[in-house]
Amino acid sequence: MRKSILLVVCVTFLFFSCKKHDTEQETVDVVMVGGGIMSVTLANLLNELDPSLSMVIYERLDNVGLESSAALNNAGTGHAALCELNYTPELSDGTIDIKKAISVNESFELSRQFWSYLVKNKEIENPKTFINPVAHMSFVTGESNSEFLKKRYEALIKNPLFTGMQFSENREEIQKWVPLIIDGRNENQKIAATRIETGTDVNFGALTKELAKRITKFDNKDILFRHEVVNFKRNDDKTWKVFVKDLQTNKVSSINAKFLFIGAGGATLPLLEKTKIPEARGYGGFPVSGEWLVCNNPEIIKKHAAKVYGKAAVGSPPMSVPHLDTRIIDGKKELIFGPFAGWSSKFLKNGSWVDLPESVNFYNVRAMLEAGLENMALTEYLVGQVLMTPEQRLEALKQYMPEAEMKDWDLRIAGQRVQIIKLDDTTSKGILQFGTEVVSSQDGSVAALLGASPGASTSVSIMVKLIEKCFADQIKTPQWQAKMKEMIPSYGINLLSDLQLTNQIRKETSENLGLVYKEIDIEKFKK
């Protein structure tokens, strides 16, 4: 009897000792879900601000940057609103609204500054592995579109941030810029184009790998592959218990996190709902997939050196703006056209067909139904895209490259995006929202990133805002403020308010990253 009691006491003691030990050993400062550009950007920013922070990134695939951040899964343009016409809508009075373009341009500048900081400090050896100079162009046909593009140019060129932009309706000049677009084109067709040399091509998959490689050099930082986060629970001490499934063993374990970031692309929405924070209620998602035509003819690829964006079809999502696009992928020049939109109920390229139906719940069903009814044009557009034949895709390409032949192009699957659906704050009606949005708890202990383009290009700006909200006390300290200014010299400063500083920053980042620099004529903008 005594032996039995002693055994029970020992087992009980060991149980509680181990439980206490597990809690102590498995509590980290930061847990990040998803090994994409957002998580590794946040990890590197936080590491610079406070190297003592312990972090774990969980990725369900075999490496980082394989979903939305991967080269052909992502548009690849360093989105600075230099060529994307959807950032400069024409208003009812005929004027061009450039507010969004200015905001996107300033956000991309923050990304450039942080990448430049890492290159300057030898944290990234060769910037050409992920960023290269490529001219950005807009190209349109027809009288009304040409008039729109000219008005857009006239509005942007008055802003210092768009210094160096050129406009032309001259066929010979445009042919010098992009011969593939003019060769074989009807001479009577009205055309117009803008061009700016300071544009960039960014391989976000390669950048994600560079940032991940750097962060794992530190003892208190780790990235675990083939690990899928499956649930969350709020602990009594306000930390988060994160349940993680090892996909190799199917064993589920848990870890405690003081701060939780969900940056899992399309998988973010269902994971955010599992946190049960009030702020997550009402959000839904609409998945949109894509396809590229990828050129397989080296001679054709050599003839083109620009990212040429056109106007999106009526009802199409911003991510479907067509472009004939020079890319530098793993050191090799490529040429792609698209994307052609598709539809899948998956929230990730490597997701499940039941992702969409499983995401519908009591809190978001109304918003999703209302958004669906309001966006019938988008549904019709997607159906048309899904049903396109190879010949129809070729005809779409010929609008940009009249002499294109099917034998020179291969069809490749692009990434999966999930557009935000939510109730509009002003009308209380369900809307389909393009762009990105950070959803965070009131206490700042958990944050999630929803949405798509221009997310990757503005990753630094988005993560800086997240830090300001979720690490509100720390960011106010002199130490964090000084470090932010070191990493991002324009932090807290409007670029348009100090053109001398803007010139200085752009010159330094261009030199460090190997990009084209155009000096702003400060005297011109003083008038």
Side-chain angles (χ1 to χ4, degrees):
M1 183 67 178
R2 289 181 179 178
K3 289 182 180 180
S4 299
I5 295 173
L6 183 60
L7 180 61
V8 170
V9 171
C10 290
V11 169
T12 303
F13 175 78
L14 286 172
F15 174 78
F16 283 105
S17 296
C18 290
K19 188 174 181 181
K20 182 179 180 182
H21 179 73
D22 284 347
T23 303
E24 291 175 350
Q25 292 299 311
E26 296 184 3
T27 296
V28 295
D29 294 306
V30 180
V31 163
M32 300 180 190
V33 186
I37 185 63
M38 293 297 174
S39 290
V40 296
T41 296
L42 178 60
N44 276 272
L45 285 168
L46 288 174
N47 182 67
E48 291 299 296
L49 292 166
D50 184 356
S52 70
L53 289 174
S54 55
M55 305 179 202
V56 180
I57 299 175
Y58 292 105
E59 169 55 51
R60 62 197 290 269
L61 300 180
D62 296 321
N63 206 340
V64 296
L66 295 182
E67 275 283 352
S68 297
S69 303
L72 284 180
N73 290 349
N74 191 292
T77 300
H79 285 288
L82 304 175
C83 57
E84 306 91 334
L85 302 182
N86 54 298
Y87 294 145
T88 52
E90 186 173 8
L91 304 180
S92 57
D93 63 358
T95 59
I96 306 298
D97 184 356
I98 66 170
K99 291 193 294 292
K100 178 70 172 179
I102 293 171
S103 174
V104 172
N105 190 282
E106 289 184 323
S107 294
F108 185 61
E109 289 288 343
L110 299 191
S111 293
R112 283 179 44 141
Q113 289 174 54
F114 182 56
W115 302 338
S116 172
Y117 163 83
L118 294 174
V119 171
K120 180 181 178 181
N121 288 284
K122 308 297 183 184
E123 301 291 348
I124 295 178
E125 291 296 328
N126 181 11
K128 288 192 176 297
T129 58
F130 72 91
I131 189 167
N132 288 275
V134 175
H136 283 199
M137 293 183 60
S138 301
F139 175 79
V140 297
T141 61
E143 195 70 45
S144 62
N145 287 336
S146 297
E147 183 181 343
F148 161 76
L149 189 62
K150 186 175 183 179
K151 287 195 294 185
R152 176 185 186 271
Y153 162 77
E154 289 171 346
L156 290 177
I157 202 64
K158 293 175 184 177
N159 188 290
L161 299 181
F162 298 90
T163 289
M165 183 175 285
Q166 300 169 269
F167 172 83
S168 181
E169 295 176 308
N170 184 288
R171 186 173 297 266
E172 292 181 0
E173 184 173 29
I174 297 173
Q175 184 160 28
K176 290 179 181 177
W177 292 344
V178 278
L180 291 182
I181 284 181
I182 302 302
D183 291 347
R185 187 171 295 278
N186 186 334
E187 292 184 0
N188 297 319
Q189 186 179 46
K190 178 74 172 178
I191 62 173
T194 58
R195 181 176 185 268
I196 186 164
E197 292 181 293
T198 55
T200 60
D201 171 73
V202 184
N203 182 339
F204 287 102
L207 176 59
T208 300
K209 288 179 173 62
E210 288 283 353
L211 294 175
K213 182 171 66 175
R214 176 181 183 263
I215 204 67
T216 52
K217 292 179 181 177
F218 300 93
D219 292 336
N220 56 351
K221 316 291 187 298
D222 202 1
I223 302 178
L224 296 179
F225 299 113
R226 302 289 297 162
H227 281 70
E228 182 176 17
V229 172
V230 294
N231 212 341
F232 310 102
K233 180 183 177 183
R234 199 70 192 268
N235 294 320
D236 293 337
D237 62 0
K238 302 303 180 183
T239 60
W240 288 92
K241 185 174 289 293
V242 183
F243 295 91
V244 186
K245 184 177 183 180
D246 184 330
L247 296 179
Q248 293 176 304
T249 65
N250 285 327
K251 180 182 177 182
V252 176
S253 59
S254 65
I255 186 171
N256 297 316
K258 296 176 183 176
F259 172 72
L260 171 63
F261 172 65
I262 309 174
T268 296
L269 178 60
L271 286 171
L272 175 61
E273 290 172 346
K274 289 182 178 182
T275 66
K276 295 182 172 59
I277 61 172
E279 293 81 3
R281 292 177 181 174
Y283 282 92
F286 184 80
V288 179
S289 60
E291 297 174 324
W292 299 110
L293 285 176
V294 180
C295 186
N296 58 39
N297 188 328
E299 294 304 314
I300 293 175
I301 296 171
K302 286 179 185 177
K303 293 180 181 178
H304 191 77
K307 292 177 177 291
V308 184
Y309 276 59
K311 290 199 77 173
V314 176
S316 66
M319 66 166 286
S320 296
V321 174
H323 43 286
L324 187 62
D325 196 346
T326 292
R327 303 288 300 275
I328 311 298
I329 300 175
D330 299 330
K332 182 183 177 184
K333 186 179 177 184
E334 304 278 5
L335 180 59
I336 66 175
F337 176 76
F340 298 96
W343 190 85
S344 164
S345 59
K346 294 181 179 181
F347 277 2
L348 288 170
K349 195 172 181 178
N350 294 283
S352 167
W353 294 104
V354 298
D355 285 343
L356 177 59
E358 285 187 347
S359 73
V360 180
N361 58 49
F362 173 79
Y363 298 105
N364 65 20
V365 64
R366 178 189 150 203
M368 294 184 73
L369 289 172
E370 290 180 349
L373 291 172
E374 285 293 320
N375 289 274
M376 292 303 295
L378 173 60
T379 303
E380 292 173 7
Y381 167 79
L382 291 176
V383 170
Q385 290 274 293
V386 170
L387 296 177
M388 284 184 83
T389 64
E391 290 76 18
Q392 288 173 320
R393 292 191 189 94
L394 181 64
E395 283 304 310
L397 171 59
K398 283 187 172 183
Q399 294 180 27
Y400 288 79
M401 183 183 163
E403 296 184 342
E405 297 182 70
M406 194 177 295
K407 65 181 176 63
D408 296 320
W409 299 82
D410 301 317
L411 187 66
R412 299 279 294 276
I413 303 299
Q416 192 80 0
R417 300 288 187 274
V418 178
Q419 307 294 345
I420 300 167
I421 293 177
K422 67 175 188 176
L423 292 175
D424 185 84
D425 293 335
T426 54
T427 65
S428 295
K429 290 185 177 181
I431 58 169
L432 184 65
Q433 175 178 294
F434 298 106
T436 54
E437 182 172 341
V438 173
V439 180
S440 60
S441 60
Q442 187 174 9
D443 65 357
S445 65
V446 59
L449 182 73
L450 299 175
S453 180
S457 296
T458 58
S459 55
V460 173
S461 173
I462 293 170
M463 292 300 102
V464 166
K465 291 176 183 176
L466 183 150
I467 289 170
E468 290 174 336
K469 186 169 185 178
C470 297
F471 295 81
D473 293 333
Q474 297 95 316
I475 196 64
K476 294 173 185 176
T477 63
Q479 295 85 352
W480 280 43
Q481 284 288 309
K483 195 63 184 183
M484 286 294 292
K485 294 290 289 184
E486 182 184 351
M487 295 188 293
I488 305 170
S490 71
Y491 177 69
I493 301 172
N494 186 315
L495 290 173
L496 292 172
S497 68
D498 191 339
L499 296 184
Q500 187 173 346
L501 175 64
T502 301
N503 269 337
Q504 178 185 329
I505 288 171
R506 284 186 164 184
K507 184 177 182 181
E508 182 176 353
T509 59
S510 296
E511 289 174 353
N512 289 337
L513 298 174
L515 305 176
V516 176
Y517 169 65
K518 293 287 184 181
E519 184 176 9
I520 297 170
D521 184 347
I522 297 176
E523 292 301 317
K524 173 184 174 183
F525 291 100
K526 281 183 177 179
K527 298 176 183 178

